[in-house]
Amino acid sequence: MTVVNPLGVPPIALGRYRKLAKIPPVAEERGLTVHRPRFSLIPRFGNRLNARAIVRATLPLIREIHAREPIHLIDAQFFFPDGPAAAWIAEEMGIPLSIKARGSDITFWGGKDFAREQMLAAAERATGLLAVSEDLKRQMIELGMPASKIAVHYTGLDRDKFRPLDHAGLRQRLARELGFDMPENAPLFASVGALIERKGQDLVIGTLTAIPDARLILVGKGEDEDHLKALARDLNVTERVHFAGVVDHDLLPLILSAADIMILPTRSEGLANAWVESLACGTPVITTDVGGASELIKDETAGLLVKRDIDVIVAAARRLLADKPAPQAVAASVEHLSWKNNAAELAAHYERLVG
């Protein structure tokens, strides 16, 4: 497999784009060759042009790769703008194409006329399509994509890392790692996701005012961080909220296993990795009934589906704290999800498309 990861960089690279501009155009990473051709990006205003810009930047490279070693399949792992770009390239090259929908590529970009038009054309050109949940497949069909092409492909995870961990001394270890006070008997909540308004971390912080002893660890970074810190100050819960930032996959299972509940009152989602990882660690989830949530959280052993309302979230948290399910029973609800199964299903999908 060869990876082509186009990077959109504005004509004047400032801020985070400056770091992107310094990434090497080709590198060997974990045994894979990764190409990163640049295309001109106009932030916020150039979205309708990005797919065409990606094609111009990558088609010569892909022709060169194909000449050295024939390509059997082109795969796009996000539907916009990757999907339309990959569709134009696949059509030009006469190669089978697979496109995977993740969530916001359908729920957000599907609401933009120019993006929806490009995505529907790409879906028609594609040999096969994937969705991360049954709910997302339904949304793709409602958008106008051919149902016969869409297969559901659930996410996977590292079962060796994400599993229920022994609680003995776990919070003390985390307290040292994070520099955050976590009394052994106090309720501990985790919320994992980008710090953006859609994820609803403000509602999670708000629940602390009604559950006085509770602590909260927020995992993730994003544009809403300053607002969330100000909210914690305004509600006088700063000492009970820890902003952990982006953490690696060695620390995340410790946080999720130590937590009593993972709370993510998101507005929209495909199938959140945070749901799966939390359940695999034996920690029940409180989230909204969006995307594939109901495909994972089928009963109270796995958690509760709620409205985006502080009082409702507080009531759900109290309910789970009063009768917390056994971690092994929670983990069993996602025992079918692993990278091994994910890879086998993806390989079978590719083989069908290549014929």
Side-chain angles (χ1 to χ4, degrees):
M1 183 169 68
T2 298
V3 179
V4 179
N5 174 209
L7 297 181
V9 180
I12 301 176
L14 301 173
R16 65 189 178 92
Y17 293 109
R18 186 177 297 154
K19 292 182 180 179
L20 286 179
K22 294 179 180 178
I23 296 176
V26 62
E28 291 292 323
E29 299 178 13
R30 300 187 183 187
L32 294 175
T33 301
V34 181
H35 299 268
R36 293 190 172 92
R38 309 291 195 271
F39 67 94
S40 294
L41 175 78
I42 304 174
R44 296 183 182 272
F45 301 103
N47 292 319
R48 67 179 64 243
L49 305 174
N50 285 344
R52 287 288 187 188
I54 290 171
V55 173
R56 287 194 295 272
T58 60
L59 185 55
L61 169 64
I62 291 174
R63 287 189 187 281
E64 180 185 320
I65 294 168
H66 186 59
R68 291 198 306 266
E69 184 174 0
I71 297 169
H72 301 98
L73 176 81
I74 290 179
D75 173 73
Q77 284 284 314
F78 201 72
F79 226 109
F80 188 84
D82 311 50
W88 284 320
I89 292 169
E91 185 173 51
E92 183 71 21
M93 303 282 292
I95 296 170
L97 168 69
S98 176
I99 307 174
K100 186 166 187 175
R102 296 279 178 178
S104 61
D105 45 359
I106 301 299
T107 59
F108 178 78
W109 291 111
K112 309 287 184 183
D113 289 344
F114 71 89
R116 182 172 61 251
E117 181 179 334
Q118 291 182 29
M119 288 194 292
L120 290 177
E124 285 296 327
R125 292 188 182 109
T127 320
L129 306 171
L130 294 172
V132 297
S133 68
E134 290 287 353
D135 180 80
L136 193 60
K137 176 180 177 178
R138 175 188 58 77
Q139 293 184 57
M140 293 164 72
I141 294 168
E142 289 177 354
L143 206 63
M145 295 183 185
S148 60
K149 290 185 180 182
I150 306 171
V152 174
H153 183 228
Y154 288 112
T155 190
L157 79 166
D158 187 335
R159 304 297 308 194
D160 291 329
K161 288 185 177 179
F162 290 92
R163 55 188 173 83
L165 300 176
D166 186 359
H167 269 237
L170 189 55
R171 288 195 181 180
Q172 289 87 345
R173 178 181 170 185
L174 266 181
R176 291 193 300 271
E177 291 261 2
L178 301 176
F180 180 53
D181 177 44
M182 285 182 282
E184 194 64 39
N185 296 321
L188 177 61
F189 304 145
S191 189
V192 181
L195 302 185
I196 54 178
E197 189 276 336
R198 174 171 65 87
K199 298 287 187 178
Q201 289 96 344
D202 55 341
L203 298 173
V204 189
I205 291 173
T207 65
L208 299 183
T209 61
I211 306 178
D213 295 332
R215 268 57 173 178
L216 169 63
I217 300 175
L218 291 174
V219 177
K221 298 286 286 184
E223 61 194 32
D224 225 24
E225 184 168 343
D226 289 342
H227 162 69
L228 294 172
K229 288 180 175 177
L231 176 63
R233 287 195 300 271
D234 291 344
L235 296 178
N236 295 315
V237 296
T238 299
E239 298 302 315
R240 295 194 280 134
V241 180
H242 179 72
F243 289 79
V246 177
V247 303
D248 63 33
H249 274 189
D250 290 324
L251 183 57
L252 185 56
L254 301 183
I255 294 172
L256 291 173
S257 290
D260 294 295
I261 309 168
M262 201 286 284
I263 308 177
L264 189 69
T266 180
R267 178 175 287 112
S268 65
E269 212 71 47
L271 191 89
N273 287 343
W275 296 336
V276 178
E277 291 165 349
S278 179
L279 295 171
C281 288
T283 301
V285 172
I286 293 174
T287 191
T288 45
D289 190 4
V290 296
S294 63
E295 296 166 44
L296 297 176
I297 302 168
K298 299 177 180 179
D299 55 44
E300 291 189 16
T301 298
L304 295 167
L305 302 177
V306 299
K307 295 180 180 178
R308 284 170 59 95
D309 178 272
I310 289 178
D311 291 338
V312 175
I313 295 169
V314 167
R318 286 176 172 160
R319 189 165 157 186
L320 287 177
L321 289 171
D323 187 18
K324 188 180 177 185
Q328 295 298 339
V330 177
S333 67
V334 290
E335 63 184 358
H336 59 293
L337 301 179
S338 68
W339 285 132
K340 182 178 180 180
N341 289 345
N342 176 281
E345 291 167 4
L346 188 59
H349 169 75
Y350 289 161
E351 288 170 358
R352 284 194 300 273
L353 301 192
V354 172

